[in-house]
Amino acid sequence: MLNYFIRRLLGAIPTLFIIILVAFVLVRLAPGGPFDKERKVPATVEAKLIEKYHLDEPMPQQFARYVAGLVQGDFGPSFKYPDRSVTELIGLGFPVSLTLGLAAISLALLSGISLGIWAALRQNSWIDYLCVGSAMLGIAIPNYVFAPLMTLVFGLMLGLLPVGGWGEPQHWILPILALAIPQVASITRLTRASMLEVLGSNFVRTARAKGLPEAVTLTRHAIRAALLPVVSYLGPAVANIVTGSVIIEEIFGIPGIGRYFVQSAINRDYTMVLGVTILFGALIILCNLLADLCYGLLDPKVRYD
């Protein structure tokens, strides 16, 4: 497994390089520039700024300079926050986004797997219909619709929870729920479908024919096999739920990396947009790799030769 892990990491380097190249070119080709503001900077000052940040160089030279900085762990200076580097801003915002994302995906896994198994074991009952219907509703309505609705109901109308901030635990409830609900719905549907397929398989019928208790058959055989598709989904889902927190952070005023990303995109802060994009790309690659490694823990037939 260690050799497989190392090979996959080495194979991810070209993928990450392509992500950096494409993001670098696209952000430079976007209309506007980092110094285009409502109050235009004097031409002499703008020329000095362009020279300071090497924006007057040819694009290939800019890219080579940027990659050389990345190799040393330097994402460059921020254009919007000139007294801060991109590395410092990511260090401030990413722990908040990571906490929000991990809490949401943990809630989604616990709830989605439980509901999916429960619905599969009660197939064609009112419980099954309720779980499937709720899952369809959760998939159809995106989190940026759930978030304002929950803010309106629980924050403004009922006054039960705060609608912004990140200081106290009560501030975490609404954003975590808004981020987790679509994932709960997807995991519920996926677990239910996989569990129904596994319950009708030959090895489960054999286990029951041997007289194994139903609880043992489910926990040792059925559930373990049914979780394989969930693990496949979990890799990109973890990355998506962290990147999806960009909108949630903006709605609830959470000081995560998402707010920096949105503001940087608006202000054409090239280095900040690139830094967050590279971080998310690396996170997706890592999560997919960890999901592949988890296959070996759930399915003994998987080998990493």
Side-chain angles (χ1 to χ4, degrees):
M1 183 180 292
L2 179 60
N3 291 333
Y4 174 79
F5 181 78
I6 294 175
R7 289 200 307 269
R8 284 289 302 271
L9 280 182
L10 293 177
I13 294 177
T15 304
L16 191 59
F17 179 80
I18 293 174
I19 292 174
I20 296 171
L21 176 60
V22 173
F24 186 89
V25 173
L26 290 179
V27 77
R28 290 298 197 280
L29 294 178
F35 310 117
D36 296 340
K37 302 178 181 179
E38 295 181 2
R39 185 176 180 180
K40 190 168 179 60
V41 179
T44 55
V45 176
E46 183 176 357
K48 289 291 185 181
L49 289 173
I50 290 175
E51 182 181 357
K52 174 183 177 182
Y53 293 111
H54 307 286
L55 297 179
D56 55 339
E57 298 176 352
M59 190 177 296
Q61 188 173 346
Q62 292 184 45
F63 181 71
R65 184 186 298 275
Y66 184 74
V67 172
L70 286 180
V71 174
Q72 302 175 21
D74 182 14
F75 285 93
S78 170
F79 296 158
K80 179 175 173 57
Y81 307 96
D83 56 335
R84 294 286 185 90
S85 68
V86 174
T87 305
E88 291 175 339
L89 293 175
I90 290 177
L92 290 173
F94 185 64
V96 177
S97 297
L98 185 64
T99 301
L100 174 61
L102 290 180
I105 198 63
S106 300
L107 176 62
L109 277 175
L110 180 62
S111 304
I113 291 175
S114 302
L115 291 174
I117 294 174
W118 193 25
L121 296 178
R122 300 291 186 271
Q123 186 182 14
N124 297 327
S125 67
W126 68 270
I127 294 175
D128 186 23
Y129 295 145
L130 179 62
C131 291
V132 173
S134 301
M136 293 295 295
L137 185 64
I139 293 174
I141 303 177
N143 53 19
Y144 57 80
V145 176
F146 272 120
L149 287 177
M150 290 193 296
T151 299
L152 177 64
V153 175
F154 296 103
L156 300 179
M157 296 176 62
L158 301 179
L160 297 177
L161 295 169
V163 297
W166 188 249
E168 301 295 332
Q170 60 265 28
H171 293 98
W172 304 358
I173 298 176
L174 288 182
I176 289 175
L177 285 176
L179 198 56
I181 285 175
Q183 301 298 330
V184 172
S186 299
I187 293 174
T188 297
R189 285 193 62 199
L190 190 61
T191 304
R192 176 187 178 276
S194 179
M195 192 69 180
L196 288 175
E197 183 179 353
V198 170
L199 289 175
S201 60
N202 292 330
F203 71 89
V204 172
R205 285 196 292 266
T206 301
R208 287 171 172 167
K210 288 181 178 180
L212 289 178
E214 187 67 12
V216 175
T217 302
L218 292 176
T219 55
R220 291 188 181 179
H221 301 285
I223 295 178
R224 186 174 181 178
L227 289 181
L228 288 175
V230 178
V231 171
S232 298
Y233 172 80
L234 189 60
V238 172
N240 288 337
I241 206 169
V242 174
T243 57
S245 65
V246 170
I247 300 174
I248 299 300
E249 289 173 12
E250 192 69 17
I251 292 175
F252 290 100
I254 298 173
I257 198 171
R259 298 190 67 188
Y260 290 124
F261 183 76
V262 172
Q263 293 299 321
S264 299
I266 294 173
N267 292 283
R268 299 295 187 270
D269 190 346
Y270 294 157
T271 50
M272 189 65 198
V273 172
L274 282 171
V276 177
T277 302
I278 294 168
L279 178 65
F280 286 161
L283 185 62
I284 292 174
I285 293 172
L286 179 61
C287 290
N288 285 328
L289 173 57
L290 294 178
D292 290 343
L293 294 177
C294 289
Y295 257 75
L297 301 177
L298 294 174
D299 189 354
K301 294 182 293 183
V302 174
R303 294 292 180 266
Y304 297 104
D305 299 332

